[in-house]
Amino acid sequence: MGVEEECASHPMTDAIINLTAGAAGGVACVLSGQPFDTVKVKMQTFPSLYRGFLDCSLKTYRHNGFRGLYQGSVPALLANVAENAVLFACYGTCQQLTRRVFGLEKGSHLSDLQNALSGSLASVFSSLVLCPTELVKCRMQAVHEMSMVGKTSLASTWSVVRDILKTDGPQGLFQGMTSTWLREVPGYFLFFGGYEICRSLFTKPDAVPLLISGGVGGAAFWLAVYPIDSVKSRIQVLSMSGKQAGFIRTLLCIMRTEGVPALYCGLTPTVLRAFPSNGALFLAYEWTRRTLINRTGGDRLRKDF
């Protein structure tokens, strides 16, 4: 991956490049995958209201129009831009740390497994900026269903943020933090590992291979940690109506009252979303980084890019 290349630029310049490229990737991810994510959150939080992916999509469109599928796009953009900017900026730093721990001379000598470990470590830091923005995003995406059951009258991003601050203070923005870490740390190990392994199979990683590799990494992420994400969505959305139990108690409650299948409700749109959204993320990231390195006089990119 482009991050581990050795650059002649100052480390701070390289960090800024990674941060900017990560932000560009976050924008591409949201624009290409937001409707799928909206359906996912609705199905995770209210599994009894929908018969499946298509039913949820059609009902959302019928009630709120095309705009309803993009509900929560503003906080989603903030969440993804912030997360990916920090994730990829920290990823480069974590790769250098991993290189030193394993006694490697260059970042390009890192194996796919070591790159996956670097991505997992970087997610610890990106989760700190992701949790508050994703909390608001999830609540906005499920605001129609919450209003249907009389649990909220909120209708805008700012009203959701104001309600959180009024009810729980600044710490309220970190509801679901434990669930976020439990999802992100193992998930990003598979995310970067899947991406790197798939990318290494192509002799010339241009646009199409990058899209495919990003999709494979995204699919690996969600298939592994989806039940954790389901619990997180429940906690973050239903906390609009009052304090929720912690991760373990919520998980056990879902399994006892609704069964294990409830933890996988919404998996189909999530895996479908993984290919366009994560493919677009990595494509935007790689090409933005390449452009910025060329303009700042960084060392040559990989010959195969």
Side-chain angles (χ1 to χ4, degrees):
M1 186 175 186
V3 178
E4 76 272 17
E5 298 152 10
E6 303 300 322
C7 287
S9 59
H10 189 276
M12 181 59 70
T13 301
D14 198 45
I16 293 173
I17 288 174
N18 288 331
L19 187 142
T20 304
V27 172
C29 182
V30 172
L31 294 179
S32 60
Q34 181 66 7
F36 295 98
D37 187 63
T38 298
V39 173
K40 179 204 75 157
V41 171
K42 288 177 181 289
M43 292 179 67
Q44 284 178 324
T45 312
F46 303 96
S48 61
L49 293 181
Y50 304 106
R51 294 191 302 272
F53 166 58
L54 187 59
D55 179 55
C56 184
S57 300
L58 291 175
K59 284 182 177 178
T60 300
Y61 180 79
R62 195 157 51 238
H63 291 142
N64 304 106
F66 191 68
R67 180 181 173 216
L69 292 169
Y70 277 89
Q71 190 75 35
S73 289
V74 173
L77 277 170
L78 291 174
N80 277 272
V81 168
E83 178 195 18
N84 286 292
V86 175
L87 177 69
F88 283 102
C90 291
Y91 183 46
T93 302
C94 291
Q95 282 180 314
Q96 294 307 313
L97 177 62
T98 303
R99 176 181 64 80
R100 292 188 180 95
V101 169
F102 286 93
L104 301 175
E105 185 179 348
K106 296 181 180 179
S108 57
H109 294 167
L110 290 170
S111 67
D112 293 337
L113 183 63
Q114 290 164 339
N115 278 319
L117 181 62
S118 300
S120 182
L121 181 59
S123 71
V124 173
F125 304 100
S126 63
S127 296
L128 295 173
V129 297
L130 172 65
C131 185
T133 49
E134 194 167 59
L135 170 66
V136 177
K137 173 191 75 73
C138 288
R139 290 189 175 187
M140 284 298 299
Q141 287 173 319
V143 73
H144 172 71
E145 288 77 7
M146 289 296 284
S147 63
M148 284 175 58
V149 295
K151 296 296 186 180
T152 185
S153 59
L154 304 174
S156 68
T157 301
W158 171 239
S159 65
V160 170
V161 174
R162 187 171 52 198
D163 181 69
I164 294 171
L165 294 174
K166 180 180 178 181
T167 305
D168 301 299
Q171 68 270 22
L173 292 169
F174 291 90
Q175 293 175 80
M177 186 72 248
T178 300
S179 305
T180 301
W181 269 325
L182 287 173
R183 181 192 70 179
E184 299 287 283
V185 173
Y188 272 108
F189 179 87
L190 296 172
F191 182 73
F192 281 103
Y195 173 78
E196 294 288 355
I197 291 171
C198 185
R199 188 172 185 254
S200 66
L201 298 177
F202 294 99
T203 55
K204 186 178 180 182
D206 51 19
V208 174
L210 286 175
L211 288 170
I212 295 174
S213 299
V216 168
F221 178 104
W222 287 113
L223 288 171
V225 302
Y226 194 79
I228 299 173
D229 185 68
S230 293
V231 176
K232 181 196 72 68
S233 293
R234 291 280 187 105
I235 292 172
Q236 291 186 319
V237 172
L238 297 181
S239 58
M240 294 175 75
S241 60
K243 185 174 179 60
Q244 298 296 301
F247 176 82
I248 297 297
R249 291 179 62 186
T250 301
L251 172 64
L252 293 176
C253 180
I254 294 172
M255 293 175 65
R256 184 172 59 251
T257 59
E258 302 172 51
V260 174
L263 295 170
Y264 289 90
C265 194
L267 180 61
T268 298
T270 303
V271 175
L272 290 174
R273 169 182 174 263
F275 281 86
S277 61
N278 290 290
L281 185 157
F282 275 108
L283 184 62
Y285 169 79
E286 294 282 7
W287 284 99
T288 301
R289 188 174 189 278
R290 175 186 183 183
T291 300
L292 292 175
I293 286 180
N294 286 339
R295 289 187 176 181
T296 55
D299 202 1
R300 65 178 179 84
L301 295 172
R302 282 181 178 171
K303 292 181 179 179
D304 62 356
F305 184 48

